[in-house]
Amino acid sequence: EDQVTQSPEALRLQEGESSSLNCSYTVSGLRGLFWYRQDPGKGPEFLFTLYSAGEEKEKERLKATLTKKESFLHITAPKPEDSATYLCAVQARGAGGTSYGKLTFGQGTILTVHP
Amino acid sequence: NAGVTQTPKFRILKIGQSMTLQCAQDMNHNYMYWYRQDPGMGLKLIYYSVGAGITDKGEVPNGYNVSRSTTEDFPLRLELAAPSQTSVYFCASIAGTEYNEQFFGPGTRLTVL
């Protein structure tokens, strides 16, 4: 069974204080690892997809990295508008090479950035 | 494009009542999904569809039913509402291949009393 565990559950930062969120996973053949941002009362918004160990992707103050067992979302000099819940999800290769796009999500990390 | 739309935004049901959560997308996406999200928990897959007329169960399908008669619409049916079905429900779809990212709707907050 595919599993995703995110840590910490909640993270409070001061504006400008860089940090990292962790996503540990076990999956029967990783097809892709996805990061989403979710604001209160809204649906998740796509950030990144990582496909293989060693891959990195950046978007503004966010950088996602991937190893064979975990992914990190690094937040550099965060601003209050970066406050949100960050979700990690994995897509397995599945039997026959397809999982029909299904994702297994972690429980999320609630990030609060204080001015 | 309106993206993925969901109605209603909020709903309160009594135990034993039935309702249908609507989901529609105008992007001609084949792959569509229904998730539920409980506080402090990640999204759990209820049902999914790979195209019109084709649906399959996800991780937590009990108490729900779906249909996919058109590419655009993917309604989720609750037949006998129970308090355990109190949750926020999200619909999502994928553009292009199944390996692409999912686009999510705004969600429906359902309370069963």
Side-chain angles (χ1 to χ4, degrees):
Chain A
E1 181 180 334
D2 303 332
Q3 289 191 329
V4 179
T5 302
Q6 292 186 245
S7 62
E9 291 185 5
L11 181 62
R12 293 176 176 268
L13 299 174
Q14 289 296 126
E15 184 172 3
E17 180 187 2
S18 301
S19 188
S20 296
L21 282 56
N22 177 264
C23 172
S24 297
Y25 64 90
T26 55
V27 63
S28 54
L30 180 70
R31 181 63 185 83
L33 186 141
F34 297 77
W35 281 99
Y36 284 85
R37 169 191 171 126
Q38 185 176 25
D39 292 308
K42 296 191 175 182
E45 177 184 346
F46 171 73
L47 292 173
F48 305 108
T49 309
L50 302 168
Y51 294 104
S52 58
E55 189 175 0
E56 299 183 352
K57 288 193 177 175
E58 290 188 62
K59 180 180 180 180
E60 296 181 358
R61 295 175 293 282
L62 301 177
K63 183 170 78 172
T65 62
L66 181 65
T67 73
K68 289 187 177 180
K69 294 184 178 180
E70 57 192 355
S71 177
F72 293 93
L73 185 65
H74 307 277
I75 303 175
T76 301
K79 298 182 178 182
E81 52 261 43
D82 294 321
S83 298
T85 296
Y86 290 85
L87 299 167
C88 171
V90 297
Q91 184 182 100
R93 291 192 181 279
T98 179
S99 61
Y100 304 106
K102 293 183 291 181
L103 297 178
T104 299
F105 279 85
Q107 79 278 22
T109 292
I110 303 171
L111 175 65
T112 304
V113 182
H114 296 284
Chain B
N1 289 337
V4 179
T5 59
Q6 293 184 239
T7 56
K9 288 189 176 181
F10 304 95
R11 183 73 185 268
I12 298 175
L13 283 182
K14 294 183 179 179
I15 294 172
Q17 286 185 321
S18 300
M19 77 163 295
T20 299
L21 281 67
Q22 300 292 345
C23 173
Q25 49 86 16
D26 61 355
M27 300 170 284
N28 202 34
H29 293 174
N30 284 323
Y31 295 89
M32 295 188 74
Y33 308 84
W34 273 107
Y35 294 91
R36 60 176 288 171
Q37 185 178 36
D38 300 314
M41 307 288 286
L43 283 77
K44 300 290 186 184
L45 182 65
I46 305 171
Y47 271 94
Y48 67 101
S49 170
V50 301
I54 307 171
T55 63
D56 204 350
K57 297 177 181 179
E59 184 181 0
V60 290
N62 291 345
Y64 308 95
N65 277 300
V66 294
S67 59
R68 184 98 182 268
S69 57
T70 67
T71 300
E72 293 77 20
D73 300 297
F74 189 38
L76 179 70
R77 178 81 177 165
L78 283 70
E79 289 294 347
L80 294 170
S84 60
Q85 294 177 304
T86 294
S87 189
V88 181
Y89 292 83
F90 290 101
C91 179
S93 68
I94 292 181
T97 78
E98 64 193 76
Y99 306 118
N100 293 336
E101 67 273 15
Q102 294 184 13
F103 291 95
F104 284 82
T108 294
R109 181 174 295 274
L110 176 67
T111 302
V112 182
L113 301 174

Tab-separated table of all heavy atoms in Angstrom, chain A residues 100 102, chain B residues 29-34 45 47-57 66-71 73-74 92-94:
chain	number	residue	atom	x	y	z
A	100	TYR	N	-3.882	5.177	-13.650
A	100	TYR	CA	-4.993	6.018	-14.073
A	100	TYR	C	-4.974	7.386	-13.398
A	100	TYR	O	-6.014	7.978	-13.129
A	100	TYR	CB	-6.324	5.305	-13.816
A	100	TYR	CG	-6.392	3.965	-14.494
A	100	TYR	CD1	-6.278	2.794	-13.767
A	100	TYR	CD2	-6.533	3.889	-15.878
A	100	TYR	CE1	-6.311	1.555	-14.400
A	100	TYR	CE2	-6.563	2.655	-16.518
A	100	TYR	CZ	-6.448	1.496	-15.771
A	100	TYR	OH	-6.486	0.286	-16.402
A	102	LYS	N	-4.231	8.205	-10.427
A	102	LYS	CA	-4.625	8.279	-9.019
A	102	LYS	C	-3.482	8.752	-8.143
A	102	LYS	O	-2.337	8.382	-8.356
A	102	LYS	CB	-5.110	6.906	-8.545
A	102	LYS	CG	-6.398	6.454	-9.202
A	102	LYS	CD	-6.858	5.123	-8.650
A	102	LYS	CE	-5.936	4.017	-9.068
A	102	LYS	NZ	-6.381	2.699	-8.562
B	29	HIS	N	-11.561	17.087	-20.401
B	29	HIS	CA	-10.655	16.168	-19.712
B	29	HIS	C	-11.295	14.792	-19.578
B	29	HIS	O	-12.467	14.684	-19.237
B	29	HIS	CB	-10.323	16.694	-18.316
B	29	HIS	CG	-9.515	17.940	-18.329
B	29	HIS	ND1	-9.219	18.639	-17.179
B	29	HIS	CD2	-8.906	18.613	-19.337
B	29	HIS	CE1	-8.470	19.693	-17.485
B	29	HIS	NE2	-8.275	19.695	-18.781
B	30	ASN	N	-10.507	13.750	-19.830
B	30	ASN	CA	-11.038	12.397	-19.690
B	30	ASN	C	-11.031	11.911	-18.249
B	30	ASN	O	-11.962	11.281	-17.786
B	30	ASN	CB	-10.237	11.425	-20.559
B	30	ASN	CG	-10.595	11.550	-22.024
B	30	ASN	OD1	-11.761	11.776	-22.366
B	30	ASN	ND2	-9.610	11.419	-22.882
B	31	TYR	N	-9.934	12.198	-17.533
B	31	TYR	CA	-9.768	11.674	-16.185
B	31	TYR	C	-10.397	12.619	-15.168
B	31	TYR	O	-10.081	13.808	-15.146
B	31	TYR	CB	-8.288	11.498	-15.847
B	31	TYR	CG	-7.589	10.462	-16.687
B	31	TYR	CD1	-6.993	10.806	-17.891
B	31	TYR	CD2	-7.526	9.139	-16.279
B	31	TYR	CE1	-6.358	9.864	-18.672
B	31	TYR	CE2	-6.895	8.186	-17.044
B	31	TYR	CZ	-6.304	8.554	-18.249
B	31	TYR	OH	-5.685	7.611	-19.016
B	32	MET	N	-11.285	12.069	-14.327
B	32	MET	CA	-11.917	12.861	-13.276
B	32	MET	C	-11.936	12.067	-11.970
B	32	MET	O	-11.974	10.829	-11.992
B	32	MET	CB	-13.336	13.274	-13.673
B	32	MET	CG	-13.376	14.208	-14.880
B	32	MET	SD	-15.001	14.877	-15.223
B	32	MET	CE	-15.178	16.090	-13.898
B	33	TYR	N	-11.947	12.794	-10.832
B	33	TYR	CA	-11.777	12.165	-9.521
B	33	TYR	C	-12.670	12.857	-8.489
B	33	TYR	O	-12.901	14.052	-8.569
B	33	TYR	CB	-10.324	12.283	-9.053
B	33	TYR	CG	-9.323	11.804	-10.075
B	33	TYR	CD1	-8.895	12.646	-11.093
B	33	TYR	CD2	-8.842	10.499	-10.044
B	33	TYR	CE1	-8.001	12.199	-12.052
B	33	TYR	CE2	-7.950	10.043	-10.999
B	33	TYR	CZ	-7.535	10.899	-12.001
B	33	TYR	OH	-6.664	10.446	-12.958
B	34	TRP	N	-13.093	12.067	-7.493
B	34	TRP	CA	-13.755	12.608	-6.315
B	34	TRP	C	-12.933	12.245	-5.084
B	34	TRP	O	-12.582	11.077	-4.886
B	34	TRP	CB	-15.161	12.036	-6.150
B	34	TRP	CG	-16.209	12.787	-6.884
B	34	TRP	CD1	-16.867	12.408	-8.010
B	34	TRP	CD2	-16.756	14.065	-6.530
B	34	TRP	NE1	-17.773	13.357	-8.391
B	34	TRP	CE2	-17.728	14.387	-7.492
B	34	TRP	CE3	-16.519	14.962	-5.485
B	34	TRP	CZ2	-18.470	15.574	-7.445
B	34	TRP	CZ3	-17.237	16.132	-5.442
B	34	TRP	CH2	-18.211	16.432	-6.414
B	45	LEU	N	-9.298	9.286	-1.935
B	45	LEU	CA	-9.984	9.080	-3.202
B	45	LEU	C	-11.239	8.237	-3.002
B	45	LEU	O	-11.184	7.143	-2.435
B	45	LEU	CB	-9.044	8.398	-4.197
B	45	LEU	CG	-9.595	8.157	-5.592
B	45	LEU	CD1	-9.878	9.488	-6.304
B	45	LEU	CD2	-8.618	7.323	-6.414
B	47	TYR	N	-13.989	7.873	-5.753
B	47	TYR	CA	-14.214	7.242	-7.054
B	47	TYR	C	-13.431	8.000	-8.099
B	47	TYR	O	-13.101	9.161	-7.921
B	47	TYR	CB	-15.702	7.278	-7.436
B	47	TYR	CG	-16.530	6.109	-6.971
B	47	TYR	CD1	-17.230	6.166	-5.771
B	47	TYR	CD2	-16.629	4.947	-7.737
B	47	TYR	CE1	-18.005	5.099	-5.344
B	47	TYR	CE2	-17.401	3.870	-7.324
B	47	TYR	CZ	-18.086	3.954	-6.115
B	47	TYR	OH	-18.848	2.898	-5.701
B	48	TYR	N	-13.192	7.351	-9.230
B	48	TYR	CA	-12.563	8.032	-10.336
B	48	TYR	C	-13.139	7.513	-11.658
B	48	TYR	O	-13.811	6.469	-11.700
B	48	TYR	CB	-11.040	7.887	-10.311
B	48	TYR	CG	-10.521	6.485	-10.560
B	48	TYR	CD1	-10.028	6.126	-11.806
B	48	TYR	CD2	-10.472	5.562	-9.536
B	48	TYR	CE1	-9.529	4.862	-12.035
B	48	TYR	CE2	-9.981	4.286	-9.754
B	48	TYR	CZ	-9.505	3.936	-10.992
B	48	TYR	OH	-9.007	2.676	-11.221
B	49	SER	N	-12.860	8.258	-12.720
B	49	SER	CA	-13.361	7.903	-14.041
B	49	SER	C	-12.291	8.218	-15.078
B	49	SER	O	-11.643	9.265	-15.006
B	49	SER	CB	-14.635	8.694	-14.350
B	49	SER	OG	-15.003	8.536	-15.706
B	50	VAL	N	-12.123	7.315	-16.027
B	50	VAL	CA	-11.124	7.532	-17.075
B	50	VAL	C	-11.771	7.961	-18.386
B	50	VAL	O	-11.075	8.126	-19.394
B	50	VAL	CB	-10.233	6.296	-17.276
B	50	VAL	CG1	-9.520	5.954	-15.974
B	50	VAL	CG2	-11.046	5.117	-17.779
B	51	GLY	N	-13.076	8.133	-18.366
B	51	GLY	CA	-13.785	8.592	-19.559
B	51	GLY	C	-15.271	8.333	-19.405
B	51	GLY	O	-15.705	7.657	-18.465
B	52	ALA	N	-16.049	8.880	-20.319
B	52	ALA	CA	-17.497	8.705	-20.259
B	52	ALA	C	-17.846	7.219	-20.228
B	52	ALA	O	-17.330	6.437	-21.041
B	52	ALA	CB	-18.152	9.392	-21.443
B	53	GLY	N	-18.689	6.834	-19.274
B	53	GLY	CA	-19.155	5.462	-19.160
B	53	GLY	C	-18.234	4.538	-18.381
B	53	GLY	O	-18.570	3.362	-18.177
B	54	ILE	N	-17.085	5.051	-17.909
B	54	ILE	CA	-16.098	4.210	-17.211
B	54	ILE	C	-15.792	4.819	-15.852
B	54	ILE	O	-15.257	5.933	-15.772
B	54	ILE	CB	-14.793	4.093	-18.012
B	54	ILE	CG1	-15.074	3.632	-19.440
B	54	ILE	CG2	-13.842	3.127	-17.314
B	54	ILE	CD1	-13.860	3.696	-20.337
B	55	THR	N	-16.136	4.074	-14.788
B	55	THR	CA	-15.845	4.537	-13.432
B	55	THR	C	-15.290	3.377	-12.616
B	55	THR	O	-15.492	2.205	-12.961
B	55	THR	CB	-17.109	5.079	-12.727
B	55	THR	OG1	-18.065	4.020	-12.587
B	55	THR	CG2	-17.724	6.231	-13.506
B	56	ASP	N	-14.605	3.715	-11.529
B	56	ASP	CA	-14.067	2.671	-10.665
B	56	ASP	C	-13.908	3.223	-9.258
B	56	ASP	O	-13.846	4.439	-9.048
B	56	ASP	CB	-12.726	2.165	-11.177
B	56	ASP	CG	-12.428	0.740	-10.697
B	56	ASP	OD1	-13.179	0.236	-9.824
B	56	ASP	OD2	-11.449	0.155	-11.168
B	57	LYS	N	-13.852	2.284	-8.280
B	57	LYS	CA	-13.757	2.661	-6.882
B	57	LYS	C	-12.352	3.116	-6.530
B	57	LYS	O	-11.369	2.623	-7.061
B	57	LYS	CB	-14.135	1.465	-5.998
B	57	LYS	CG	-15.575	1.008	-6.171
B	57	LYS	CD	-15.851	-0.218	-5.317
B	57	LYS	CE	-17.293	-0.683	-5.503
B	57	LYS	NZ	-17.578	-1.906	-4.702
B	66	VAL	N	-21.286	6.889	-8.236
B	66	VAL	CA	-20.992	7.877	-9.273
B	66	VAL	C	-21.530	7.393	-10.607
B	66	VAL	O	-21.862	6.217	-10.784
B	66	VAL	CB	-19.475	8.140	-9.422
B	66	VAL	CG1	-18.903	8.805	-8.180
B	66	VAL	CG2	-18.732	6.860	-9.764
B	67	SER	N	-21.597	8.321	-11.542
B	67	SER	CA	-21.921	8.002	-12.926
B	67	SER	C	-21.143	8.969	-13.807
B	67	SER	O	-20.730	10.038	-13.359
B	67	SER	CB	-23.426	8.141	-13.176
B	67	SER	OG	-23.853	9.463	-12.900
B	68	ARG	N	-20.928	8.609	-15.045
B	68	ARG	CA	-20.216	9.499	-15.984
B	68	ARG	C	-20.843	9.282	-17.368
B	68	ARG	O	-20.342	8.534	-18.201
B	68	ARG	CB	-18.720	9.147	-16.007
B	68	ARG	CG	-17.898	10.090	-16.894
B	68	ARG	CD	-17.248	11.142	-16.124
B	68	ARG	NE	-16.496	12.078	-16.943
B	68	ARG	CZ	-15.183	11.947	-17.236
B	68	ARG	NH1	-14.515	10.897	-16.791
B	68	ARG	NH2	-14.589	12.850	-17.973
B	69	SER	N	-21.950	9.947	-17.581
B	69	SER	CA	-22.649	9.795	-18.857
B	69	SER	C	-22.082	10.712	-19.938
B	69	SER	O	-22.270	10.457	-21.138
B	69	SER	CB	-24.149	10.065	-18.679
B	69	SER	OG	-24.345	11.355	-18.148
B	70	THR	N	-21.412	11.776	-19.542
B	70	THR	CA	-20.766	12.677	-20.505
B	70	THR	C	-19.337	12.942	-20.059
B	70	THR	O	-18.983	12.717	-18.900
B	70	THR	CB	-21.498	14.028	-20.605
B	70	THR	OG1	-21.356	14.729	-19.359
B	70	THR	CG2	-22.981	13.830	-20.915
B	71	THR	N	-18.518	13.459	-20.953
B	71	THR	CA	-17.144	13.809	-20.592
B	71	THR	C	-17.121	14.944	-19.573
B	71	THR	O	-16.262	14.990	-18.711
B	71	THR	CB	-16.354	14.241	-21.843
B	71	THR	OG1	-16.333	13.152	-22.767
B	71	THR	CG2	-14.923	14.639	-21.498
B	73	ASP	N	-19.412	15.937	-17.119
B	73	ASP	CA	-20.030	15.850	-15.798
B	73	ASP	C	-19.678	14.565	-15.064
B	73	ASP	O	-19.651	13.479	-15.657
B	73	ASP	CB	-21.552	15.950	-15.937
B	73	ASP	CG	-21.985	17.254	-16.563
B	73	ASP	OD1	-21.720	18.296	-15.948
B	73	ASP	OD2	-22.566	17.215	-17.670
B	74	PHE	N	-19.470	14.697	-13.755
B	74	PHE	CA	-19.105	13.542	-12.931
B	74	PHE	C	-19.760	13.709	-11.567
B	74	PHE	O	-19.117	14.082	-10.587
B	74	PHE	CB	-17.590	13.447	-12.808
B	74	PHE	CG	-17.072	12.181	-12.173
B	74	PHE	CD1	-17.663	10.956	-12.416
B	74	PHE	CD2	-15.957	12.218	-11.348
B	74	PHE	CE1	-17.177	9.797	-11.849
B	74	PHE	CE2	-15.445	11.055	-10.770
B	74	PHE	CZ	-16.071	9.856	-11.026
B	92	ALA	N	-11.767	16.689	-9.130
B	92	ALA	CA	-10.558	17.074	-9.850
B	92	ALA	C	-10.561	16.432	-11.228
B	92	ALA	O	-11.246	15.432	-11.464
B	92	ALA	CB	-9.305	16.651	-9.080
B	93	SER	N	-9.779	16.994	-12.127
B	93	SER	CA	-9.641	16.406	-13.465
B	93	SER	C	-8.216	16.611	-13.958
B	93	SER	O	-7.475	17.441	-13.430
B	93	SER	CB	-10.639	17.024	-14.445
B	93	SER	OG	-10.330	18.383	-14.699
B	94	ILE	N	-7.852	15.829	-14.959
B	94	ILE	CA	-6.502	15.892	-15.533
B	94	ILE	C	-6.601	16.259	-17.008
B	94	ILE	O	-7.417	15.693	-17.748
B	94	ILE	CB	-5.774	14.544	-15.408
B	94	ILE	CG1	-5.465	14.236	-13.945
B	94	ILE	CG2	-4.475	14.561	-16.207
B	94	ILE	CD1	-4.728	12.912	-13.757
